[in-house]
Amino acid sequence: MSDDADKMVVPVVDKGLGNSAYLVDLGDRRALAVDASLDLRALRAEAARRDLTIAFAADTHLHADFLSGALQLAETDGAQVLASAAGDRTFDHVGLSDGDEVDLGGQTLRALATPGHTGEHLAFLLLDGSNPLGVFTGGSLIVGGAARTDLAGSEKTEALSRAQYRSMRRLLELPDATPVWPTHGAGSFCSAPGNDERTSTIGRERAVNPLLAAPNEETFVQQLLGGLGSFPPYFLDLPEANRAGRAVAAAPIVPGLDAARVAKLAQLGARVIDVRPVRDFAAGHIPGALSIPLRAQFVSWLGWLLTPSTPYVVVRRPDQDLSELVWQAVKIGYDVPVGELSGGMTAWDGPTTQTPLLTASEIGDHRVLDVRQDNEFHRGHLPNAIHVELGDLPDRVADLPAEPIVVMCGHGERAMTAASILGRHGHVGVRVLEGGVDDWTAATGRSLV
């Protein structure tokens, strides 16, 4: 990144979703926000720290993994929304087509049609006069890869993949020194595998991006589609929600509930979501509760394992931030909890269930269920491990052997979520590995498959 661009453009990373929004200092106490989510806390904090007012909010595409914050910025900050005219958004915005330019008051933003990740996708080239300062590539060219092209339905996947090929090569027409600012990155289910870095340059991607090394379009399509993993089901709903736009009038309130009320709601079909750390859940939890530890990745697993229409009640520790949970739910379009257990588990007066934790040296010859993603599993797993991705587990419980089993993932959080699903479906003898494959190799001296 050039020194000028480095001073102007501030990435605001959402580690849970694996995405970056960008705040661009336009030099006159005004700012441009690119691909901001509806959880605007970090972006607003960065703008306040720099004494900036957000005057423009640009979206590169109709996002599938989060609700856009553009309409919110328009309503509360007076920002002008910039987005693809082909997106047919139903709220006020400046609809842009290929080659259209917007005067930002010193700099210029030029729209580049780059379909592939979505059909209406734009990249935004930031210019100082005729000098490219950098390009916001959204879900087209990302660091070490490209964003997935299969979110609009299987019948459109091949055509979008071929469009992605052409779009990425169009971006290669920019000077090699041009900074590349993608939205999707490591940890995003919208991404085909890339690497952990979040920004790059055109020249670097030309040299090291394996998809750009494909000798022809056919090879590119095969490589791109061969690298795609699974994704949460809510990804299929959010593009239309973003077409309509959404804003939040105020931070939602989650009422406190006593144990009797929580038990009654559970009987009526509400899910109990226990967001405490793994060890707390293991020591004792409400029977049937779903463990989803509150961390950066909470939102993805909430959206993967709970349907939007299912009411839920939260159990947390007093030191866990309820507002963090609320905003994570809001940014993927989910309702907030109908309540939380006041006082946490210390206030629960009903039966409890325990889920034993094992160290890597204690696994022995027990049957192991590995719930990591396919690409993680194939990079190395325990011999004879059963593999079912966590997102698929609710539909695959009946396929598992009715015998004691040890569940594992990378660190233990997803494994405890899986164990809670198995327990809810009546499996007994379920235990969780505290740790992952590296702990197992270190403890046993054995090699992964």
Side-chain angles (χ1 to χ4, degrees):
M1 188 182 292
S2 69
D3 290 340
D4 288 343
D6 190 30
K7 294 175 183 176
M8 288 181 60
V9 180
V10 182
V12 181
V13 179
D14 184 330
K15 292 183 179 179
L17 293 180
N19 290 332
S20 298
Y22 296 91
L23 183 72
V24 184
D25 186 343
L26 299 176
D28 56 0
R29 298 182 64 183
R30 298 180 311 140
L32 161 71
V34 179
D35 285 345
S37 84
L38 191 52
D39 180 4
L40 291 164
R41 293 175 298 164
L43 187 77
R44 289 196 190 284
E46 193 63 48
R49 190 174 73 83
R50 296 168 179 265
D51 194 25
L52 297 174
T53 298
I54 299 175
F56 300 94
D59 272 343
T60 57
H61 59 289
L62 291 165
H63 302 289
D65 49 344
F66 61 85
L67 287 177
S68 168
L71 181 57
Q72 184 77 54
L73 289 169
E75 293 190 359
T76 58
D77 299 53
Q80 187 176 63
V81 178
L82 312 174
S84 171
D88 295 325
R89 290 165 175 82
T90 61
F91 55 92
D92 288 341
H93 67 286
V94 177
L96 301 175
S97 299
D98 185 44
D100 287 347
E101 295 184 346
V102 177
D103 182 2
L104 302 177
Q107 292 80 36
T108 301
L109 200 68
R110 179 184 295 164
L112 303 177
T114 45
H117 179 45
T118 63
E120 87 306 333
H121 192 286
L122 294 177
F124 292 115
L125 181 62
L126 184 64
L127 296 161
D128 182 7
S130 60
N131 176 42
L133 296 175
V135 60
F136 300 99
T137 56
S140 51
L141 176 61
I142 67 174
V143 180
R148 64 189 315 138
T149 54
D150 59 343
L151 298 177
S154 58
E155 70 282 0
K156 297 181 180 179
T157 297
E158 183 174 346
L160 286 174
S161 299
R162 295 183 183 281
Q164 187 78 299
Y165 174 83
R166 295 186 291 272
S167 293
M168 291 177 71
R169 273 150 182 77
R170 181 185 188 187
L171 291 169
L172 290 185
E173 297 171 5
L174 296 170
D176 278 355
T178 306
V180 171
W181 299 311
T183 301
H184 302 305
S188 169
F189 289 115
C190 271
S191 299
N195 63 41
D196 290 340
E197 297 186 38
R198 298 193 176 275
T199 61
S200 186
T201 66
I202 291 294
R204 182 180 180 192
E205 292 308 302
R206 187 194 312 277
V208 303
N209 190 314
L211 287 175
L212 292 176
N216 52 53
E217 184 174 313
E218 295 298 329
T219 304
F220 173 92
V221 171
Q222 292 175 11
Q223 290 180 354
L224 175 62
L225 297 183
L228 298 180
S230 54
F231 60 86
Y234 69 87
F235 276 28
L236 300 177
D237 301 323
L238 287 193
E240 285 304 313
N242 279 318
R243 198 184 306 277
R246 188 173 301 183
V248 179
I253 302 299
V254 179
L257 306 173
D258 62 24
R261 182 59 179 160
V262 169
K264 183 63 175 178
L265 287 172
Q267 291 175 359
L268 294 174
R271 291 298 304 271
V272 176
I273 308 295
D274 193 320
V275 303
R276 296 175 300 148
V278 166
R279 288 188 177 185
D280 295 66
F281 187 86
H285 55 268
I286 297 173
L290 178 63
S291 171
I292 310 180
L294 183 55
R295 54 187 181 129
Q297 294 79 16
F298 169 82
V299 62
S300 293
W301 296 112
L302 177 73
W304 209 318
L305 299 171
L306 194 77
T307 62
S309 61
T310 302
Y312 62 104
V313 177
V314 166
V315 177
R316 66 181 174 104
R317 281 193 344 189
D319 60 345
Q320 290 180 301
D321 185 0
L322 183 61
S323 65
E324 175 63 21
L325 183 155
V326 167
W327 280 112
Q328 286 207 38
V330 165
K331 73 181 174 185
I332 65 165
Y334 269 55
D335 289 335
V336 299
V338 296
E340 67 160 330
L341 176 59
S342 294
M345 282 301 294
T346 59
W348 179 252
D349 56 4
T352 61
T353 301
Q354 293 75 44
T355 302
L357 294 173
L358 297 182
T359 65
S361 60
E362 294 173 324
I363 290 180
D365 295 325
H366 292 299
R367 199 67 182 269
V368 171
L369 170 65
D370 190 326
V371 297
R372 294 176 299 158
Q373 301 299 104
D374 280 347
N375 61 333
E376 296 175 281
F377 182 79
H378 292 305
R379 281 198 297 265
H381 56 269
L382 273 62
N384 301 315
I386 304 169
H387 179 228
V388 179
E389 285 194 3
L390 175 56
D392 294 334
L393 186 60
D395 296 325
R396 297 276 308 278
V397 171
D399 299 339
L400 298 176
E403 62 182 90
I405 200 165
V406 178
V407 191
M408 67 168 295
C409 61
H411 301 285
E413 290 88 357
R414 285 176 289 173
M416 188 57 80
T417 301
S420 70
I421 292 170
L422 295 176
R424 182 178 175 87
H425 285 81
H427 276 249
V428 296
V430 178
R431 285 161 288 186
V432 168
L433 171 64
E434 193 171 24
V437 292
D438 292 340
D439 300 280
W440 181 83
T441 57
T444 64
R446 298 171 63 187
S447 298
L448 300 174
V449 177

PDB file of all heavy atoms in Angstrom, residues 239-254:
ATOM      1  N   PRO A 239     -29.068 -11.706   0.465  1.00  0.00           N
ATOM      2  CA  PRO A 239     -29.046 -10.793  -0.685  1.00  0.00           C
ATOM      3  C   PRO A 239     -30.364 -10.068  -0.908  1.00  0.00           C
ATOM      4  O   PRO A 239     -30.370  -8.853  -1.186  1.00  0.00           O
ATOM      5  CB  PRO A 239     -28.703 -11.726  -1.859  1.00  0.00           C
ATOM      6  CG  PRO A 239     -27.876 -12.808  -1.231  1.00  0.00           C
ATOM      7  CD  PRO A 239     -28.517 -13.037   0.109  1.00  0.00           C
ATOM      8  N   GLU A 240     -31.481 -10.772  -0.778  1.00  0.00           N
ATOM      9  CA  GLU A 240     -32.770 -10.103  -0.951  1.00  0.00           C
ATOM     10  C   GLU A 240     -33.042  -9.125   0.185  1.00  0.00           C
ATOM     11  O   GLU A 240     -33.633  -8.052  -0.031  1.00  0.00           O
ATOM     12  CB  GLU A 240     -33.900 -11.138  -1.047  1.00  0.00           C
ATOM     13  CG  GLU A 240     -33.948 -11.859  -2.383  1.00  0.00           C
ATOM     14  CD  GLU A 240     -34.051 -10.885  -3.555  1.00  0.00           C
ATOM     15  OE1 GLU A 240     -34.889  -9.958  -3.488  1.00  0.00           O
ATOM     16  OE2 GLU A 240     -33.281 -11.038  -4.521  1.00  0.00           O
ATOM     17  N   ALA A 241     -32.632  -9.475   1.395  1.00  0.00           N
ATOM     18  CA  ALA A 241     -32.782  -8.541   2.512  1.00  0.00           C
ATOM     19  C   ALA A 241     -31.972  -7.278   2.263  1.00  0.00           C
ATOM     20  O   ALA A 241     -32.415  -6.161   2.575  1.00  0.00           O
ATOM     21  CB  ALA A 241     -32.345  -9.215   3.817  1.00  0.00           C
ATOM     22  N   ASN A 242     -30.800  -7.425   1.681  1.00  0.00           N
ATOM     23  CA  ASN A 242     -29.979  -6.257   1.373  1.00  0.00           C
ATOM     24  C   ASN A 242     -30.514  -5.473   0.190  1.00  0.00           C
ATOM     25  O   ASN A 242     -30.270  -4.272   0.077  1.00  0.00           O
ATOM     26  CB  ASN A 242     -28.528  -6.689   1.123  1.00  0.00           C
ATOM     27  CG  ASN A 242     -27.768  -6.906   2.417  1.00  0.00           C
ATOM     28  OD1 ASN A 242     -27.895  -6.129   3.358  1.00  0.00           O
ATOM     29  ND2 ASN A 242     -26.980  -7.971   2.479  1.00  0.00           N
ATOM     30  N   ARG A 243     -31.242  -6.122  -0.674  1.00  0.00           N
ATOM     31  CA  ARG A 243     -31.885  -5.394  -1.774  1.00  0.00           C
ATOM     32  C   ARG A 243     -32.934  -4.422  -1.217  1.00  0.00           C
ATOM     33  O   ARG A 243     -33.079  -3.300  -1.694  1.00  0.00           O
ATOM     34  CB  ARG A 243     -32.537  -6.374  -2.749  1.00  0.00           C
ATOM     35  CG  ARG A 243     -32.840  -5.771  -4.118  1.00  0.00           C
ATOM     36  CD  ARG A 243     -33.583  -6.760  -5.003  1.00  0.00           C
ATOM     37  NE  ARG A 243     -32.884  -8.032  -5.127  1.00  0.00           N
ATOM     38  CZ  ARG A 243     -31.894  -8.273  -5.970  1.00  0.00           C
ATOM     39  NH1 ARG A 243     -31.461  -7.302  -6.744  1.00  0.00           N
ATOM     40  NH2 ARG A 243     -31.332  -9.460  -6.035  1.00  0.00           N
ATOM     41  N   ALA A 244     -33.637  -4.875  -0.184  1.00  0.00           N
ATOM     42  CA  ALA A 244     -34.643  -4.018   0.446  1.00  0.00           C
ATOM     43  C   ALA A 244     -34.024  -3.017   1.410  1.00  0.00           C
ATOM     44  O   ALA A 244     -34.549  -1.926   1.619  1.00  0.00           O
ATOM     45  CB  ALA A 244     -35.668  -4.885   1.186  1.00  0.00           C
ATOM     46  N   GLY A 245     -32.891  -3.385   2.013  1.00  0.00           N
ATOM     47  CA  GLY A 245     -32.243  -2.510   2.973  1.00  0.00           C
ATOM     48  C   GLY A 245     -32.860  -2.629   4.357  1.00  0.00           C
ATOM     49  O   GLY A 245     -34.045  -2.938   4.506  1.00  0.00           O
ATOM     50  N   ARG A 246     -32.030  -2.430   5.357  1.00  0.00           N
ATOM     51  CA  ARG A 246     -32.517  -2.498   6.735  1.00  0.00           C
ATOM     52  C   ARG A 246     -31.719  -1.554   7.614  1.00  0.00           C
ATOM     53  O   ARG A 246     -30.517  -1.383   7.443  1.00  0.00           O
ATOM     54  CB  ARG A 246     -32.415  -3.923   7.286  1.00  0.00           C
ATOM     55  CG  ARG A 246     -33.086  -4.103   8.645  1.00  0.00           C
ATOM     56  CD  ARG A 246     -33.097  -5.560   9.071  1.00  0.00           C
ATOM     57  NE  ARG A 246     -33.782  -6.413   8.118  1.00  0.00           N
ATOM     58  CZ  ARG A 246     -33.970  -7.720   8.298  1.00  0.00           C
ATOM     59  NH1 ARG A 246     -33.498  -8.307   9.384  1.00  0.00           N
ATOM     60  NH2 ARG A 246     -34.602  -8.432   7.390  1.00  0.00           N
ATOM     61  N   ALA A 247     -32.426  -0.926   8.538  1.00  0.00           N
ATOM     62  CA  ALA A 247     -31.794  -0.081   9.540  1.00  0.00           C
ATOM     63  C   ALA A 247     -32.352  -0.470  10.900  1.00  0.00           C
ATOM     64  O   ALA A 247     -33.408  -1.105  11.001  1.00  0.00           O
ATOM     65  CB  ALA A 247     -32.054   1.396   9.247  1.00  0.00           C
ATOM     66  N   VAL A 248     -31.656  -0.097  11.955  1.00  0.00           N
ATOM     67  CA  VAL A 248     -32.060  -0.431  13.319  1.00  0.00           C
ATOM     68  C   VAL A 248     -32.302   0.869  14.062  1.00  0.00           C
ATOM     69  O   VAL A 248     -31.388   1.699  14.183  1.00  0.00           O
ATOM     70  CB  VAL A 248     -30.975  -1.265  14.038  1.00  0.00           C
ATOM     71  CG1 VAL A 248     -31.410  -1.584  15.460  1.00  0.00           C
ATOM     72  CG2 VAL A 248     -30.700  -2.557  13.267  1.00  0.00           C
ATOM     73  N   ALA A 249     -33.523   1.037  14.568  1.00  0.00           N
ATOM     74  CA  ALA A 249     -33.869   2.292  15.237  1.00  0.00           C
ATOM     75  C   ALA A 249     -33.071   2.483  16.517  1.00  0.00           C
ATOM     76  O   ALA A 249     -32.622   3.584  16.837  1.00  0.00           O
ATOM     77  CB  ALA A 249     -35.369   2.325  15.534  1.00  0.00           C
ATOM     78  N   ALA A 250     -32.902   1.407  17.284  1.00  0.00           N
ATOM     79  CA  ALA A 250     -32.164   1.478  18.545  1.00  0.00           C
ATOM     80  C   ALA A 250     -31.680   0.085  18.889  1.00  0.00           C
ATOM     81  O   ALA A 250     -32.174  -0.917  18.359  1.00  0.00           O
ATOM     82  CB  ALA A 250     -33.057   2.029  19.660  1.00  0.00           C
ATOM     83  N   ALA A 251     -30.698   0.008  19.779  1.00  0.00           N
ATOM     84  CA  ALA A 251     -30.197  -1.294  20.208  1.00  0.00           C
ATOM     85  C   ALA A 251     -31.315  -2.065  20.900  1.00  0.00           C
ATOM     86  O   ALA A 251     -31.929  -1.554  21.843  1.00  0.00           O
ATOM     87  CB  ALA A 251     -29.017  -1.114  21.155  1.00  0.00           C
ATOM     88  N   PRO A 252     -31.632  -3.267  20.443  1.00  0.00           N
ATOM     89  CA  PRO A 252     -32.724  -4.036  21.041  1.00  0.00           C
ATOM     90  C   PRO A 252     -32.428  -4.403  22.497  1.00  0.00           C
ATOM     91  O   PRO A 252     -31.285  -4.568  22.900  1.00  0.00           O
ATOM     92  CB  PRO A 252     -32.801  -5.292  20.161  1.00  0.00           C
ATOM     93  CG  PRO A 252     -32.079  -4.923  18.897  1.00  0.00           C
ATOM     94  CD  PRO A 252     -31.027  -3.962  19.297  1.00  0.00           C
ATOM     95  N   ILE A 253     -33.489  -4.526  23.268  1.00  0.00           N
ATOM     96  CA  ILE A 253     -33.385  -4.882  24.677  1.00  0.00           C
ATOM     97  C   ILE A 253     -33.728  -6.362  24.853  1.00  0.00           C
ATOM     98  O   ILE A 253     -34.703  -6.863  24.279  1.00  0.00           O
ATOM     99  CB  ILE A 253     -34.349  -4.034  25.534  1.00  0.00           C
ATOM    100  CG1 ILE A 253     -34.041  -2.545  25.345  1.00  0.00           C
ATOM    101  CG2 ILE A 253     -34.247  -4.424  27.005  1.00  0.00           C
ATOM    102  CD1 ILE A 253     -32.647  -2.141  25.761  1.00  0.00           C
ATOM    103  N   VAL A 254     -32.939  -7.065  25.649  1.00  0.00           N
ATOM    104  CA  VAL A 254     -33.182  -8.478  25.952  1.00  0.00           C
ATOM    105  C   VAL A 254     -33.620  -8.575  27.413  1.00  0.00           C
ATOM    106  O   VAL A 254     -32.836  -8.270  28.316  1.00  0.00           O
ATOM    107  CB  VAL A 254     -31.921  -9.330  25.722  1.00  0.00           C
ATOM    108  CG1 VAL A 254     -32.193 -10.793  26.070  1.00  0.00           C
ATOM    109  CG2 VAL A 254     -31.447  -9.204  24.282  1.00  0.00           C
TER     110      VAL A 254
END
